[in-house]
Amino acid sequence: MFRYYLKLGSLSIRANPALSALMVAAIAIGIGACMSIVTVRHVMSGNPVAHKNDLLYHVQLDNWNPDDPYEDPNEPPEQVTYLDATALHQAGRAFRQTISFKSDRVVQPEGEDARPFQEEVRATTADFFAMFDVPFEYGSGWDASADRAEERVVVLSAAMNQRLFGGEDSVGRMMTMNKEPYRIVGVLSEWRPMPKFYDLNNNPYEGAEEIYTPFSLAISGEWGSSGNNSCWKPLDGAGYEAYLASECIWIQMWVELSSASERDNYMQFLDDYVEQQKALGRFPREVNNRLSTPAEWMVNREVVDDTVNVLLSLAVLFLVVCLLNTIGLLLAKVMRRTSDISLRRALGASKSALFTQYLIEAGMVGIAGGLAGIGMTWLGLRGLENVFSEYDFISYLMTMDWTMVLYAVLLAIVSTLAAALYPTWRACSVSPATTLRIQ
Amino acid sequence: MLNMKKVSKTYRTDTVETHALREFSLTVDEGEFVSVTGPSGSGKTTFLNIAGMLEELTAGTYELDGRDISKLNDKERSKVRNEKIGFIFQSFNLIPELDVFDNIDVPLRYRGFNADERKRRIEKCLDRVGLTSRMKHYPAQLSGGQQQRVAIARALAGEPRFLLADEPTGNLDTNMADSVLDLLAEINDSGTTIIMVTHELTLADRAKRNIFVRDGQISDGPPELHFAAAASA
């Protein structure tokens, strides 16, 4: 009977092209508005390392002002000091660990006519690439010995390699930053974690850095941070050494544990470390360390702005309004067909058979609305992209993946079926005798 | 076969109560051709709707082939309607979007027959009403008489025990009406019980038994007297 119902649905849709088109349009517009915002939120709330979510942890230590928490009610700072970052990194108690910060350098491309340009650089440690499953096109990251030796090596993004070397395998070649030579050891494949979970301090959607160098090299070169930098008390002295010895927080620290069950052990290690530091006169607040998975960390930092949630609510309301219109149109359509319904009842169709028939027809309208809704969503995303075109990362937020396409069609079908329930029930409740007599 | 005892049907609105049938009792045996006549509003169509299980009765009992219809749920009633009853309507009630073949196919679909069986039955019925050549025509492409023949073919396709015909010639000219009545008589001769509602006495004469309904009840005496009485009132 399913194929028969499909045939009847198709005939019905073709018999009322204007009404059917109106219904499809109403659903498509509602789905388009809703899915545009859902898609943006989906990308914003994505977890690029979901597959390792229970192994990766962001580290927080509360070294802050004893009289004033870093954030109410009692949040520890989101970054750590140089002292703590290097101590914890050198302790090496996790399966992998990385400390990093964002800086910027002036890159001098090869060629006499090439103009230098400023570029963001991530100063990090060897484990960064393995911990975050960073993909390589050529070569690899550096190893721990390069960290220790402060080797002058770099890893380039695919885009930077394209810009400097036309996309060729540049491993082993040299590049210049701030007039100093660096040897290229690796080139990444396309990698744009969205959001940039490992450093949410500035713009979570700005994309990964284009150049990576050893953390130790950056420190020995006295590089400053171009990311967030907060201090709760004045530095004891002047210069870079005083900055490194200060309680200023500016370094992001992540660890990878061998299993989720190691979380308690590592937390105990952090607590012991802080107690040890307290004995040395640091960490004036209560022990308040945190280990957060990437997902927990992104929620903590409110990566998805409240505005997006408000927009999503409005979009869902708009979809509801469109569905109310669809209910009206469906009602008009089925009530026009009471004679058909009554006749089928007289010829032996049960109410449930007719209910199924009309729901399948509504489902077909829903599928058409969903497919048209995908087009409307694409238009909506392009519209949003144009409105916010001054942000270079915006196109990455306005991307529909297959999951979203599937969601759009499913949402359309479910919504249309929900909208069809009342009209179909009304139609099936009509007394066949009344309608057949009227004719 | 069909046995109604003291059947009543009352339509109620907030302000009005209309008694369409009052303690209506009737027995129709297998193979009968019964005409039901009466003035407008007498309750004959209501009787037909209740007989066809298109309406619930308010009081009384209705047994079809020994089964108390009032005790059946919607699915069971639909099944009985599909298997035992064929309907013929005054306005044919063909589905305009479906061709002749697919119109006759409708009750067979609900019966659950496979495609071969449905095709066999449809072709047999179309042959019986003389419209095999019009199988792929749409209702709008047929004359009124042809449309009613398609409706009769549709009613016969399920090989029902009895046909309920509501003014089957009401929308046809005399020649076409005669042709349809000839067909109904032939169907009855082959063993199918027919109950036909009509307000035309000449058509009712074609039936083997006439019933006159007035004020929701069966009246005694020949129909002519009642029509005359109604006309002079």
Side-chain angles (χ1 to χ4, degrees), chain A residues 257-271:
Chain A
L257 304 179
S258 52
S259 69
S261 60
E262 283 292 304
R263 183 176 184 161
D264 288 345
N265 290 340
Y266 196 80
M267 183 59 97
Q268 186 60 54
F269 162 67
L270 291 180
D271 291 348

Side-chain angles (χ1 to χ4, degrees), chain A residues 327-395:
Chain A
I327 290 175
L329 292 168
L330 275 169
L331 201 54
K333 185 175 181 182
V334 294
M335 295 317 280
R336 272 173 56 182
R337 296 179 62 195
T338 50
S339 60
D340 180 88
I341 292 166
S342 300
L343 176 68
R344 288 180 182 278
R345 295 273 289 138
L347 298 179
S350 62
K351 282 184 182 178
S352 59
L354 286 170
F355 201 77
T356 308
Q357 177 194 327
Y358 279 89
L359 277 190
I360 287 174
E361 183 180 329
M364 293 170 72
V365 172
I367 290 172
L371 293 174
I374 292 169
M376 297 301 289
T377 305
W378 186 85
L379 282 176
L381 291 174
R382 295 292 75 78
L384 286 170
E385 195 175 336
N386 283 334
V387 169
F388 298 106
S389 58
E390 69 265 33
Y391 303 107
D392 59 357
F393 60 86
I394 203 73
S395 62

